[in-house]
Amino acid sequence: MTQGAGQGPEVERTATLRDFRVPGYVNETGPYDHGTDPGNAAPPLEEPLEHPDGYTPTQRDLPVISRRGDTLQVAVDPATTGAPLAATGPGPLFVVGDVHGYLDELVAALQEKGLVDSAGNWCAGTARLWFLGDFTDRGPDGIGVIDLVMRLSAEAAAAGGYCKALMGNHELLLLGAKRFGDTPVNSGAGTATFQAAWLLNGGQKYDMDRLQDHHLQWMARLDAVEEVDGHLLVHSDTTAYLDYGDSIEAVNDTVRETITRNDADEVWDLFRKFTKRFSFRDEGGADAVRSLLDTYGGTRIVHGHSPIPYLLGEVGSEEGEDSGGPHVEGPHVYADGLAIAMDGGVTMAGKLLVQQLPLES
C-alpha cells in the first residue's frame, strides 16, 4: 500500500506509479524565493469573521472523511481497458475532476478509459484530456500527480492529442505557501498566512519537500478558463472569474500577471475568490451559469472544486464510519442542465471521475 501523506518511512510502490519522468524541457528554474522554510509551523490564526459564502480560506475547508488505510489500491486488468483510441482526426474529449494527491486512483481511472496503458503511458492517440485543477493536498502523492500530468502532456502531444490542465485553488495555495510562507496577508478575516491556510486545508509535508522549480513554473502558467467544443471549463463553481476579465484570454492573462507580480496580498485575493463555491447550486444557480456562458462562450459549464456529495446534500461522517463513503457513480448535471460537476469526492472515499464529453443530461 502506498505511503499516506509521506510522513513516515519509505515503502515500496507499484512500478506503474513510480518514477514518472518529466520531460527535460520543463526542468526550468524560476524566480521563487527559497528562503522561507515551509516546515515551520504557522502561528494560529485569529478567529475569522462570518463569510457570506460559508467558507473563508482562514477556516478549514470541506472535511476530509477518513479512508481505510492511506489510499485505495485499484487493480486494473490491461485486457479490460479497451484498445487505444483512434490515432487520426480530432480525438474524443475527456475531463478529470479533482485529484488531490490520489495518484493510484488517477492512474486506475485513466486506464479504465483507455487513456493510459498498464505502464501508465499515454495510449489514446489524438484524444484530448483536460484536468480541472486541484492536483495536491489531502492525498498522499500530489507531486506524483503533477509529474504524471506533465509527462502525459508531452506524450499526448507527440501522439497528436493533448493533455492540459486548469488552475485550481489548491495550486494557488501551494504556490503561495512556497513563495510567501508565514508572510501575513490582508485576509479581511483576521491575520492569515498562506502557510497556515495550506496546512489547514490538507497541505502535505511530503509534497512540499519534493516541490521543485519546474513544478512551480508549470502551476504558475496554468490557464484558469477554457472553452472546448461548447464546454466552458473552470475549476470552481463560482462567478468570481468575471472579476478578472470579460473574455477567456483576459481572465487567463490577468491571473498569470497577478501570480507573476508576486504580491502576497494580490495572490491571496485570487486564491480567496477561487475558493468560493456553490454559486450554481441553489435558486438563481442557472442564471449564474448563464452569466459565465454569456461572457465567455459555450453552452455548458464543467467544473470541479465542490464535491458532488456536498452539492447533493449527501455528506458523510468526518469520522469515517463503515458506510463505505458517499455513493458517486458519475458526474452531476444540474442548474437546468447547464452545469456538470466533476469532483466525485475522492478525498472522502468517493470516486475520482474521468468523463468523456459531451454528457447527456
Side-chain angles (χ1 to χ4, degrees), residues 1-11 13 18 70-71 101 138-143 202-210:
M1 184 167 287
T2 50
Q3 179 66 34
Q7 306 291 341
E10 277 289 316
V11 296
R13 301 178 65 104
R18 193 160 178 88
D70 43 29
T71 184
R138 301 196 176 109
D141 196 358
I143 300 303
Q204 301 294 311
K205 184 178 184 297
Y206 186 51
D207 286 340
M208 187 64 79
D209 288 345
R210 294 180 301 147

Side-chain angles (χ1 to χ4, degrees), residues 299-324:
T299 58
R300 226 176 195 184
I301 200 162
V302 184
H303 70 85
H305 189 49
S306 291
I308 291 170
Y310 284 87
L311 290 169
L312 296 175
E314 299 172 354
V315 181
S317 165
E318 194 171 346
E319 283 71 37
E321 294 157 351
D322 293 329
S323 61

Side-chain angles (χ1 to χ4, degrees), residues 14-243:
T14 58
T16 59
L17 303 183
R18 193 160 178 88
D19 297 330
F20 285 157
R21 289 175 173 79
V22 180
Y25 74 88
V26 299
N27 289 309
E28 307 167 13
T29 58
Y32 297 97
D33 180 9
H34 300 284
T36 301
D37 180 4
N40 292 335
L45 305 179
E46 295 178 6
E47 186 66 25
L49 303 175
E50 184 68 24
H51 196 271
D53 298 309
Y55 167 65
T56 171
T58 57
Q59 292 178 326
R60 189 165 181 248
D61 199 353
L62 301 175
V64 180
I65 296 176
S66 301
R67 306 181 65 111
R68 289 293 176 258
D70 43 29
T71 184
L72 178 63
Q73 296 282 350
V74 181
V76 177
D77 183 352
T80 67
T81 61
L85 301 172
T88 59
L93 175 64
F94 292 83
V95 290
V96 184
D98 300 36
V99 182
H100 281 300
Y102 286 94
L103 178 60
D104 294 21
E105 286 81 353
L106 173 59
V107 172
L110 294 173
Q111 287 176 334
E112 184 180 0
K113 295 294 183 179
L115 294 165
V116 302
D117 62 21
S118 60
N121 299 314
W122 182 263
C123 66
T126 59
R128 298 165 294 161
L129 179 63
W130 274 97
F131 285 82
L132 300 179
D134 278 11
F135 301 102
T136 67
D137 303 336
R138 301 196 176 109
D141 196 358
I143 300 303
V145 171
I146 291 176
D147 283 341
L148 173 62
V149 176
M150 294 173 75
R151 178 172 62 76
L152 291 179
S153 296
E155 293 178 358
Y162 66 67
C163 171
K164 299 182 181 182
L166 293 181
M167 172 79 71
N169 62 304
H170 281 263
E171 281 67 66
L172 290 166
L173 183 56
L174 184 58
L175 279 166
K178 182 65 173 181
R179 286 188 182 186
F180 307 118
D182 291 332
T183 301
V185 293
N186 181 18
S187 73
T191 303
T193 71
F194 271 104
Q195 174 73 5
W198 175 72
L199 291 170
L200 194 64
N201 289 289
Q204 301 294 311
K205 184 178 184 297
Y206 186 51
D207 286 340
M208 187 64 79
D209 288 345
R210 294 180 301 147
L211 187 62
Q212 299 179 38
D213 282 333
H214 63 269
H215 300 127
L216 294 163
Q217 289 281 2
W218 181 80
M219 287 189 291
R221 294 170 181 168
L222 294 175
D223 286 335
V225 186
E226 284 294 343
E227 188 271 325
V228 186
D229 294 354
H231 300 91
L232 186 64
L233 308 180
V234 297
H235 172 69
S236 305
D237 46 326
T238 177
T239 58
Y241 294 94
L242 296 169
D243 295 344

